[in-house]
Amino acid sequence: MRAVTRQARRTLVRPARHALGVRYMGSESASSSSSFALPTEPSKRYTEITHPEDPASVPPAVKELLDRSNAYILPVYARPPIVMAKGRGSYVWDVQGRQYLDFSSGIAVNALGHGDEGLVEVMRTTASSLLHTSNVYHHEHAGKLAELLITLTQSEGGLGWAPGSSRPVANGTSGAKVFFANSGTEANEGALKVARKIGKERWAKATGKPWDDPACDKIEIVCFERGFHGRSMGALSVTSNPKYQKPFLPLIPGVKVGQLNDTAALAGLVGEKTCAVIVEPIQGEGGINAADVEWLRALRKRCDEVGAVLIFDEIQCGLYRTGNLWAHSTVPADGHPDIVTTAKPLANGYPIGAVLMRDNIAEVMTAGTHGTTFGGSPLACALGYHVLSRLSDKAFVASIKETSDYLEKRLSLLTQWFPKILEGKVRGRGLIRGLGFKNTTHPGRVVEMARERGVLLLTAGSDAVRIVPSLNIGAGEVGHAMDVVESCLSILDSE
């Protein structure tokens, strides 16, 4: 694994920092956040628009591309009039040749940035030998990736393991199993299906009746406000946002919605009819809202009391985005889930999702109870193994934490400088951060303003700007992005 990592690190290409216009305080080769001094006042150097988006600024050739898309593609995305052409490192360029610093990383997907040479080589060699087999047959890559996911979880903490612990392999079991899917939505669908089956099995054991008895009522699923778990009918049913749900009602029955971090409500929310509880340890789409550690422990305890399966959706917050393997890796083991789902960064943009579950959960899933045609393909798993091998390298993790520390300090300055606009506390941790705004019209404006100045950001929920750059982002890129954000906030502050 480490050999792959060393080779990949040699091929990593990053733009020169001197081209970023940041306040650099160290040598050109330095990458540590400690080499960057904190500014004493907000930057105002990016108040002018450099990447205009008004209709008059769109060249005919670009308009032709946009018109073709509008004519043939389902209009379910509200997109700016930009056509992306290529990417390299933390940067992308549109067909007009305009450069953007990507602080959205494909919605927390491109953990290693764009155009990574190591990833391209794995894609080339694997695709040229075996692209697809279906799950009718074994191939060499799925088992390697599954093993890596489980052994890293055992060593770094999660799914019931405290950091540094391991369970002895006995009777051919590793203590956990993995199911590969094609996306985060599919991973969550799989997790919900497993939990439904567990619920029926546990009801049957408790009542002495067959699991398929129509009287079985252990089918309820609990989710939480502002959570986001996907857009297919099952995942959408536990994504409690009326904007997403209302056009597609009725959804699956038996879903109850609670509030994150409301411990007192758990006894009434999670009951004997509950088969599953699904929650994001750090909500992504809903606003970068973090679950309290003690609340997670109380939730775990309540699930154990009623025999409910606890699912952590770590599709956006997992795989080192917080600086740890899982967002729950640092939570005591008595606050861990039965199932964790992951997807976004696992293959750096190639579609893959994964469901990790404890053995006592996996044992109910037998041949034919779940499946997929494309999930866990040779190419997806080879890429996933390559990416995860590099992300888990100790030096790489250390660099994430250094850069995260610098980002946190820069974001904290914003809350001090712009108290009329921003909440007093920065949300999230690591490289999943949220700036909360007091005026809900401002996040969208800041995202647009930053894009017109060459930095790509995202909104989160109705009141936050989401910051989820590539995990190999440098402090120089952080400094530049923050300078642009400061300039945008200065404009708002002067209105």
Side-chain angles (χ1 to χ4, degrees), residues 190 193-194 197 357 361-367 369-370:
K193 283 182 67 177
V194 172
K197 195 170 190 303
M357 64 196 81
I361 301 297
E363 64 187 10
V364 305
M365 301 302 289
T366 56
T369 53
H370 195 45

Side-chain angles (χ1 to χ4, degrees), residues 417-490:
W417 289 335
F418 302 101
K420 293 189 299 183
I421 297 174
L422 299 174
E423 293 177 348
K425 185 178 179 181
V426 179
R427 303 178 190 177
R429 67 180 192 268
L431 291 178
I432 177 168
R433 296 288 184 169
L435 276 177
F437 285 74
K438 296 178 178 180
N439 184 332
T440 56
T441 67
H442 283 165
R445 283 192 63 195
V446 169
V447 168
E448 181 179 359
M449 292 166 68
R451 191 174 63 240
E452 291 176 331
R453 289 154 180 83
V455 173
L456 304 180
L457 302 169
L458 298 166
T459 57
S462 62
D463 63 351
V465 166
R466 182 177 5 172
I467 298 169
V468 283
S470 300
L471 299 185
N472 59 0
I473 198 81
E477 291 91 349
V478 169
H480 177 61
M482 292 301 98
D483 284 354
V484 171
V485 172
E486 289 164 14
S487 298
C488 296
L489 292 175
S490 295

Side-chain angles (χ1 to χ4, degrees), residues 161-471:
W161 283 285
S165 66
S166 63
R167 295 173 185 164
V169 175
N171 301 322
T173 180
S174 63
K177 295 292 183 292
V178 178
F179 175 83
F180 290 116
N182 301 289
S183 66
T185 295
E186 285 190 24
N188 283 337
E189 289 282 351
L192 293 171
K193 283 182 67 177
V194 172
R196 269 279 175 88
K197 195 170 190 303
I198 283 282
K200 293 185 177 184
E201 296 279 356
R202 289 177 176 175
W203 179 88
K205 185 176 180 180
T207 63
K209 298 179 180 180
W211 64 266
D212 57 351
D213 191 305
C216 178
D217 60 359
K218 197 170 184 61
I219 60 170
E220 290 183 351
I221 301 171
V222 170
C223 62
F224 296 91
E225 291 181 1
R226 305 186 78 171
F228 182 88
H229 303 290
R231 296 178 186 268
S232 58
M233 292 298 280
L236 182 62
S237 299
V238 293
T239 298
S240 61
N241 186 325
K243 178 180 73 172
Y244 298 141
Q245 288 186 339
K246 192 173 181 180
F248 308 103
L249 297 175
L251 300 173
I252 67 171
V255 175
K256 297 172 69 175
V257 182
Q259 291 187 341
L260 203 70
N261 297 325
D262 186 349
T263 302
L266 289 179
L269 182 67
V270 181
E272 295 295 336
K273 295 181 181 180
T274 306
C275 71
V277 177
I278 185 168
V279 64
E280 297 164 274
I282 301 176
Q283 293 179 333
E285 185 76 20
I288 319 298
N289 307 300
D292 295 336
V293 170
E294 292 306 313
W295 181 80
L296 289 174
R297 298 176 77 182
L299 179 60
R300 169 77 271 174
K301 181 181 179 181
R302 183 56 183 162
C303 286
D304 288 341
E305 289 171 349
V306 302
V309 174
L310 180 57
I311 304 166
F312 280 6
D313 176 343
E314 295 226 20
I315 289 162
Q316 188 159 162
C317 63
L319 297 186
Y320 298 98
R321 184 150 290 279
T322 62
N324 299 99
L325 173 62
W326 305 114
H328 75 275
S329 289
T330 56
V331 174
D334 62 359
H336 287 193
D338 300 295
I339 297 175
V340 60
T341 57
T342 185
K344 285 182 179 292
L346 185 52
N348 206 64
Y350 192 87
I352 189 173
V355 189
L356 284 71
M357 64 196 81
R358 305 188 194 203
D359 272 343
N360 66 331
I361 301 297
E363 64 187 10
V364 305
M365 301 302 289
T366 56
T369 53
H370 195 45
T372 171
T373 298
F374 295 104
S377 71
L379 181 55
C381 291
L383 291 170
Y385 182 81
H386 176 85
V387 171
L388 189 54
S389 296
R390 289 172 61 182
L391 297 185
S392 60
D393 180 77
K394 293 186 183 302
F396 191 97
V397 174
S399 72
I400 293 174
K401 293 181 178 180
E402 286 185 353
T403 306
S404 299
D405 180 64
Y406 181 62
L407 175 60
E408 181 175 21
K409 291 175 180 176
R410 291 297 300 264
L411 291 172
S412 295
L413 287 176
L414 300 184
T415 65
Q416 298 173 32
W417 289 335
F418 302 101
K420 293 189 299 183
I421 297 174
L422 299 174
E423 293 177 348
K425 185 178 179 181
V426 179
R427 303 178 190 177
R429 67 180 192 268
L431 291 178
I432 177 168
R433 296 288 184 169
L435 276 177
F437 285 74
K438 296 178 178 180
N439 184 332
T440 56
T441 67
H442 283 165
R445 283 192 63 195
V446 169
V447 168
E448 181 179 359
M449 292 166 68
R451 191 174 63 240
E452 291 176 331
R453 289 154 180 83
V455 173
L456 304 180
L457 302 169
L458 298 166
T459 57
S462 62
D463 63 351
V465 166
R466 182 177 5 172
I467 298 169
V468 283
S470 300
L471 299 185

